[in-house]
């Protein structure tokens, strides 16, 4: 991940749901109450970069951390089952526009082997399909599949299209 | 930064073709010419009707001035390529051995020295097309087996590798990054265990 990678920055600011374990004074502005404190057990959506650090750092003399992370939508069982049944018909872009980066960040925290295997399977299936579409440079693509790609897949599709075009041009 | 991102770390077919022009090739000069010493290579003294090996780009210049005939490589004829094509069909799971830059050389010959080929251009063109297609189908099939650690490219030519490179590298990188997120934890844990012991 590069410091200047705009996709990484966007993925980092993706909001995920979390729950506060303790009452924190002065943090009320997070839920729209400036000047007030944030209560224990408040559920709130925080950007990933903030949630991550709050979830792993522990409070002094206490085993608890500031917040608990609640499983976000993109790793819900519904979506995992959808991936298992048919990877190519999922609208990844609708679920989360930076799916793979988010999964990566999530699994770095929780070391979820099953989830990683699932998303690797997803990537393999979909990249094969992307390659098929990218080879078809002359005809316009009439499939909705292209609109369901996440940002990484979009770039992959664009680059392979470009290289196939160059190859076709050279072969002429 | 100025270079478009899809060209960074990647060569265009034209660039590969340019690189191939450094290959040595046998020519049959029609005129005599003195030896020329260049920085990279030296062009030997040419005598009329005496076979000599020169870089392909020199051969092409001489050819365009009708000062030589280029002798096609052993493999560049219809019979040999046909045999290779049959071999491709027979061995469904591997690529037949062709020169590393067979596509580039064939293309250069077809464009610039088609009169030096033994067989008609159409025949060569069609067999090359067939070969290319069957090999492409095979490499496509191989893409299904992509994983995070390695890819085997035995027997593939430079152009064919370049063709799939823009696709394979990002996918394998992403797979590796995804894979690493869990592996690293385990390794870190085992490292800690070792430290504590």
């Amino acid at each position: 991940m590069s410091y200047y990678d705009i996709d990484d920055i966007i993925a980092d600011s993706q909001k995920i749901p979390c729950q506060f374990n303790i009452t924190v004074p002065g943090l009320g502005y997070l839920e729209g109450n400036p000047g007030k404190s944030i209560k224990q057990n408040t559920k709130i959506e925080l950007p990933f970069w903030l949630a991550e650090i709050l979830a792993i750092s522990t409070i002094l003399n206490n085993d608890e951390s500031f917040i608990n992370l609640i499983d976000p939508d993109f790793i819900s069982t519904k979506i995992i089952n959808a991936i298992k049944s048919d990877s190519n018909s999922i609208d990844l872009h609708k679920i989360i526009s930076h799916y793979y980066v988010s999964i990566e960040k999530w699994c770095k925290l929780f070391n979820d082997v099953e989830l990683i295997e699932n998303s690797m399977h997803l990537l393999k299936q979909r990249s094969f399909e992307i390659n098929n579409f990218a080879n078809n440079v002359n005809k316009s693509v009439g499939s909705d599949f292209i609109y369901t790609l996440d940002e990484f897949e979009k770039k992959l599709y664009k680059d392979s299209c470009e290289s196939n075009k160059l190859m076709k041009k050279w072969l002429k | 930064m100025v270079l478009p991102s899809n060209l960074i770390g990647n060569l265009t077919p034209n660039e590969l073709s340019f690189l191939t022009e450094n290959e040595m090739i046998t020519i049959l000069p029609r005129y005599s010419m003195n030896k020329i010493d260049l920085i990279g290579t030296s062009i030997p003294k040419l005598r009329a009707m005496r076979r000599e090996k020169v870089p392909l780009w020199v051969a092409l210049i001489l050819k365009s001035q009708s000062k030589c005939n280029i002798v096609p490589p052993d493999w560049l004829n219809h019979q040999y390529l046909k045999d290779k094509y049959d071999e491709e069909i027979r061995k469904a799971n591997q690529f037949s051995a062709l020169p590393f830059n067979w596509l580039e050389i064939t293309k250069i010959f077809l464009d610039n020295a088609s009169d030096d080929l033994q067989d008609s251009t159409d025949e060569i063109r069609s067999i090359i097309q067939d070969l290319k297609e069957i090999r492409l189908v095979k490499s496509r099939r191989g893409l299904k087996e992509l994983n995070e650690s390695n890819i085997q490219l035995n027997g593939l030519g430079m152009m064919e590798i370049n063709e799939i490179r823009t696709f394979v590298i990002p996918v394998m990188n992403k797979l590796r990054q995804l894979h690493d997120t869990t592996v690293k934890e385990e390794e870190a844990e085992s490292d800690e265990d070792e430290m504590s012991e």
Side-chain angles (χ1 to χ4, degrees), chain A residues 16-24 27-33 36-46 66-70:
Chain A
I16 52 171
C18 12
Q19 185 173 28
F20 269 84
N21 287 333
I22 50 162
T23 306
V24 189
L27 267 188
Y29 64 87
L30 286 177
E31 51 168 3
N33 294 329
K36 305 269 171 55
S37 57
I38 201 159
K39 299 252 165 50
Q40 193 176 358
N41 292 334
T42 315
K43 279 188 187 163
I44 197 171
E45 291 208 324
L46 290 178
F66 289 97
I67 56 168
N68 266 339
L69 292 179
I70 303 165

Side-chain angles (χ1 to χ4, degrees), chain A residues 1-12:
Chain A
M1 291 298 139
S2 147
Y3 183 76
Y4 293 106
D5 186 358
I6 191 76
D7 288 323
D8 192 40
I9 296 169
I10 296 175
D12 238 355

Side-chain angles (χ1 to χ4, degrees), chain A residues 100 104 108 111 113 116 120 123-124 127-128 131 135 152 155-156 159 162-163 166-167 170-172, chain B residues 5-6 13-14 17 107 132 140 143-144 146 148 159 166-167 170-171 174 177-178 181-182 185:
Chain A
Y100 295 107
E104 222 173 280
K108 259 186 195 147
N111 198 17
V113 180
I116 279 292
M120 279 170 80
L123 177 58
K124 282 179 199 169
S127 62
F128 187 73
N131 190 38
N135 279 310
F152 164 76
K155 190 174 180 323
L156 181 69
D159 287 352
E162 209 55 47
S163 106
L166 283 175
M167 189 69 190
W170 180 77
L171 276 174
K172 259 178 200 162
Chain B
S5 64
N6 59 325
N14 286 328
S17 181
K107 169 102 164 95
K132 192 176 167 330
R140 283 275 150 73
L143 290 185
K144 264 193 179 160
L146 271 186
E148 72 283 350
M159 193 59 87
T166 36
F167 174 76
V171 174
K174 195 43 112 182
Q177 283 166 358
L178 285 171
T181 52
T182 49
E185 291 286 311

